[in-house]
């Protein structure tokens, strides 16, 4: 009998000394965050803790950083079981990025949408291409953020601005993202990865232990757990809601969703 073909890896990894570049490599799917990709990415981040990596640069292949959850994989699975799987898979990535001793830089060379924006937000530094944007479009799909992004977004830009971007599913252009403090710098068109590499080289000039303590101290001061618990419960309820099912169906039927007229609990 013929052996099964090997599973295609969804990441490309390139090392330069103690700097590791990790590229989301699903260009045909706009680097959609499938469960398999999230698991592979979490493992890559965990491995970086122990292989001499000091700085991790995360970027996407092609013209997109990451387009969010893989709707082709998730469609028809608006269940609590799938919500929990997606919640755990995504939080394994974002929480590991946040708490790792390794400093992470998101090189946002193209749109970072939904879960893609959440992934970028979990990195310590964000470099965005002048032509790129972020979009927290969750409400248009009948769901709420899931991976700790409410806390991170409020910490970066304040409650009022966070609500506006989330509620309006706004495309946050590079300049606005920088002016509001969401990204560290705007790179010239097409040069976000090159600028991220410069940042990475500069980070190597600092003390590894001091950087690790800096990250740990900032995380401890953020009051993470309480808001993350609220966010988690809201995501599970919204994922199981009729509005989310309708939004996914409308996406594939290329029409506007018809949401319920009244706010609900999603239960």
């Amino acid at each position: 009998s013929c052996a099964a073909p090997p599973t295609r890896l969804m990441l490309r990894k390139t090392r330069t000394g103690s700097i590791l570049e990790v590229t989301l490599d699903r260009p045909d799917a706009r680097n959609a965050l499938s469960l398999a990709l999230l698991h592979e990415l979490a493992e890559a981040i965990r491995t970086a803790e122990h292989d001499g990596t000091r700085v991790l640069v995360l970027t996407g292949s092609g013209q997109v950083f990451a387009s969010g959850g893989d709707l082709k994989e998730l469609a028809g699975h608006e269940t609590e079981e799938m919500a929990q799987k997606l919640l755990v898979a995504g939080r394994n990535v974002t929480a590991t990025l946040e708490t790792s001793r390794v400093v992470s830089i998101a090189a946002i060379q193209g749109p970072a949408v939904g879960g893609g924006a959440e992934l970028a937000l979990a990195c310590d530094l964000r470099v965005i291409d002048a032509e790129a944007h972020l979009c927290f479009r969750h409400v248009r799909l009948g769901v709420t953020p899931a991976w700790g992004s409410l806390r991170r977004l409020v910490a970066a830009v304040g409650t009022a601005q966070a609500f506006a971007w989330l509620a309006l599913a706004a495309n946050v252009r590079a300049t606005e993202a920088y002016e509001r403090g969401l990204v560290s710098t705007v790179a010239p068109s097409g040069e976000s990865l090159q600028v991220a590499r410069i940042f990475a080289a500069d980070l190597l000039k600092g003390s590894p232990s001091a950087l690790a303590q800096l990250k740990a101290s900032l995380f401890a001061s953020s009051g993470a757990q309480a808001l993350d618990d609220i966010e988690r419960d809201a995501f599970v309820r919204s994922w199981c809601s009729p509005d989310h099912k309708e939004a996914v169906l409308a996406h594939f039927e290329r029409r506007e969703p018809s949401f319920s007229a009244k706010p609900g609990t999603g239960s």
Side-chain angles (χ1 to χ4, degrees):
S1 60
C2 296
T7 302
R8 181 186 179 279
L9 296 178
M10 299 182 185
L11 301 178
R12 282 189 282 112
K13 292 182 275 189
T14 305
R15 176 174 296 281
T16 304
S18 54
I19 299 171
L20 177 66
E21 290 183 13
V22 176
T23 304
L24 308 178
D25 194 22
R26 298 188 70 202
D28 294 342
R30 295 175 58 81
N31 299 327
L33 301 174
S34 65
L35 289 171
L37 174 55
L38 289 169
H39 290 312
E40 192 177 335
L41 182 54
E43 182 60 29
I45 300 164
R46 284 192 293 266
T47 300
E49 280 266 290
H50 308 289
D51 65 5
T53 298
R54 288 189 53 196
V55 182
L56 185 151
V57 177
L58 180 63
T59 193
S61 59
Q63 302 302 309
V64 180
F65 178 77
S67 61
D70 189 339
L71 291 181
K72 288 185 178 179
E73 174 183 80
L74 300 171
H77 297 282
E78 294 82 14
T79 63
E80 184 170 344
E81 180 183 10
M82 179 56 79
Q84 293 290 354
K85 284 183 179 179
L86 188 58
L87 189 70
V88 169
R91 287 197 170 200
N92 279 344
V93 173
T94 58
T96 305
L97 281 169
E98 188 172 47
T99 59
S100 173
R101 293 190 304 273
V102 175
V103 179
S104 54
I105 307 172
I108 307 167
Q109 88 291 2
V113 180
E118 293 199 66
L119 181 59
L121 196 58
C123 293
D124 300 306
L125 297 168
R126 284 165 291 284
V127 176
I128 190 168
D129 191 279
E131 304 301 321
H133 68 271
L134 301 100
C135 181
F136 300 90
R137 67 184 301 265
H138 304 71
V139 294
R140 299 290 174 88
L141 288 173
V143 294
T144 56
W147 300 339
S149 295
L150 293 181
R151 167 176 54 82
R152 296 185 188 104
L153 191 58
V154 167
V157 303
T159 302
Q161 187 62 64
F163 180 79
W165 284 348
L166 289 162
L168 296 171
N171 285 336
V172 184
R173 300 294 175 184
T175 302
E176 183 180 6
Y178 176 72
E179 290 173 348
R180 297 286 186 177
L182 188 62
V183 301
S184 310
T185 193
V186 178
S189 184
E191 295 184 19
S192 57
L193 182 55
Q194 288 78 1
V195 173
R197 288 168 177 162
I198 294 171
F199 273 41
D202 284 345
L203 285 164
L204 295 184
K205 299 173 184 176
S207 157
S209 61
L211 284 170
Q213 289 297 324
L214 181 63
K215 282 195 63 171
S217 298
L218 289 170
F219 178 71
S221 70
S222 67
Q225 197 58 53
L227 184 53
D228 281 1
D229 287 347
I230 294 169
E231 180 191 64
R232 178 198 63 216
D233 294 342
F235 171 73
V236 173
R237 288 195 301 272
S238 63
W239 182 271
C240 299
S241 70
D243 275 356
H244 176 51
K245 187 172 185 177
E246 161 63 11
V248 173
L249 185 63
H251 170 81
F252 287 110
E253 293 179 353
R254 298 183 182 278
R255 60 174 174 81
E256 290 295 316
S258 178
F259 291 134
S260 56
K262 296 180 181 180
T265 63
S267 58

